Amino acid sequence: MEAVHPTLIIALALAAGVLAQSVARHLRLPGIVLLLAAGIGLGPDGLGWVLPGELGGGLYALVDLAVAVILFEGGLNLEISRLRREQAAIRRLVTWGAGITLLGGTLAARGLLGWGWDLSFLFGSLVVVTGPTVVGPLIAELRLRPRVATVLEAEGVLIDPIGAILAVLVLEITIAPGLDTVAAGGLGLVLRLAFGAGAGVAAGFVLARLLAVRRLVPEGHQNILVLSSVLLLFEACNAWVAQSGIMAVTIAGVVVGNLRTPVDRDLREFKDQLSVLLIGLLFVMLAAGVRFEEV
């Protein structure tokens, strides 16, 4: 297949992602294993059917919107009562745990790969994130104690926006090292997290109130209202304060999930199915974009 149309690439990745996760469930394997295999097999080093490069800048927009929905769904499943019981462990994982991972990743890249300190530091910041796209499917396949599952699920969701914003900060420091960059970057990190959290709380409360009022939203439109609102929240926050949208949608999910509404069950089922679809798309596309020669 020499010239693949961008929409066909997306359709192939979607179908392959769903099929791979279905087969993985039958075989009782973590879905990520078959998703990565499918991406590599369909990518440029395999059959050459899924070519992420053909999408250009559209690939990044697609990834951004998919991650926004996945993080909202992850926040939707975090119950405040469970988080409070395990708050000490969760807090240590997203603070000290992130710091230790950053240091360990930096030293590993420096010592094992011989990279410079700047690239090693950037690599360390990237591997801080576990993310719900990886942790969520694994938790679903494993039989874990409720306390362990709560800690891992919360860490996977909460570390994603923190780690993503941290990586941007480290990139800025790497490009223009200096005390001014560090100070401005630290202030920017706090601003992005605070603004995103505040916007997420406000938007989540408004969404939950809209869903709670019977007949305000027409029957059958609740799910698509939430979906469109999440995407708008993500992009609007990013336009106002760069990289703050990822925190906003995560917190909005937590708020909506804990303010029970009449459509709570339907909303969770819809978002769960949508997340499966988008996780499959993401991993197939991203795996297809990794070339053996570059590795």
Side-chain angles (χ1 to χ4, degrees):
M1 189 179 296
E2 297 182 357
V4 182
H5 197 277
T7 54
L8 179 56
I9 293 175
I10 296 173
L12 281 170
L14 282 170
V18 173
L19 180 61
Q21 291 180 90
S22 299
V23 173
R25 179 164 295 185
H26 283 300
L27 298 178
R28 297 185 180 278
L29 292 173
I32 188 174
V33 175
L34 294 189
L35 286 173
L36 294 178
I40 294 171
L42 295 173
D45 290 327
L47 296 174
W49 292 356
V50 176
L51 306 172
E54 295 292 321
L55 300 180
L59 174 63
Y60 301 105
L62 189 65
V63 170
D64 278 349
L65 296 179
V67 169
V69 175
I70 292 168
L71 283 175
F72 178 81
E73 192 270 339
L76 203 64
N77 295 322
L78 294 181
E79 296 180 6
I80 297 295
S81 58
R82 291 192 296 142
L83 296 181
R84 285 175 177 169
R85 287 195 295 268
E86 310 301 334
Q87 60 178 319
I90 296 170
R91 184 171 58 250
R92 286 195 292 266
L93 276 176
V94 299
T95 53
W96 291 105
I100 292 171
T101 304
L102 171 63
L103 178 61
T106 301
L107 295 177
R110 174 67 177 174
L112 299 178
L113 301 177
W115 293 354
W117 283 111
D118 53 350
L119 285 180
S120 298
F121 190 35
L122 181 59
F123 174 81
S125 70
L126 292 174
V127 297
V128 163
V129 175
T130 50
T133 54
V134 176
V135 175
L138 291 176
I139 292 176
E141 295 293 333
L142 300 174
R143 295 181 178 179
L144 301 174
R145 294 180 179 178
R147 293 185 60 183
V148 177
T150 296
V151 171
L152 293 179
E153 186 178 8
E155 189 272 346
V157 172
L158 298 177
I159 197 64
D160 210 64
I162 296 173
I165 296 173
L166 175 64
V168 172
L169 167 62
V170 173
L171 178 61
E172 292 173 350
I173 295 174
T174 302
I175 294 174
L179 292 178
D180 292 341
T181 305
V182 174
L187 181 61
L189 175 65
V190 174
L191 175 63
R192 290 161 179 165
L193 292 175
F195 178 82
V201 170
F205 182 80
V206 171
L207 265 178
R209 291 303 93 195
L210 287 176
L211 295 174
V213 179
R214 293 185 181 276
R215 298 182 181 180
L216 180 61
V217 180
E219 184 71 23
H221 285 202
Q222 296 95 337
N223 290 335
I224 57 176
L225 169 68
V226 173
L227 175 61
S228 59
S229 300
V230 168
L231 297 179
L232 176 61
L233 172 65
F234 178 76
E235 291 298 340
C237 286
N238 281 342
W240 192 265
V241 177
Q243 286 88 46
S244 64
I246 194 169
M247 173 62 83
V249 294
T250 302
I251 299 301
V254 175
V255 173
V256 173
N258 285 274
L259 293 176
R260 303 299 182 184
T261 66
V263 295
D264 185 72
R265 181 176 178 180
D266 292 339
L267 179 62
R268 290 175 188 271
E269 290 178 353
F270 173 70
K271 286 295 183 290
D272 182 60
Q273 293 175 348
L274 192 59
S275 291
V276 171
L277 183 71
L278 294 176
I279 285 174
L281 172 67
L282 281 180
F283 276 105
V284 170
M285 294 290 284
L286 296 179
V290 176
R291 304 300 302 273
F292 289 144
E293 57 189 26
E294 294 173 348
V295 175

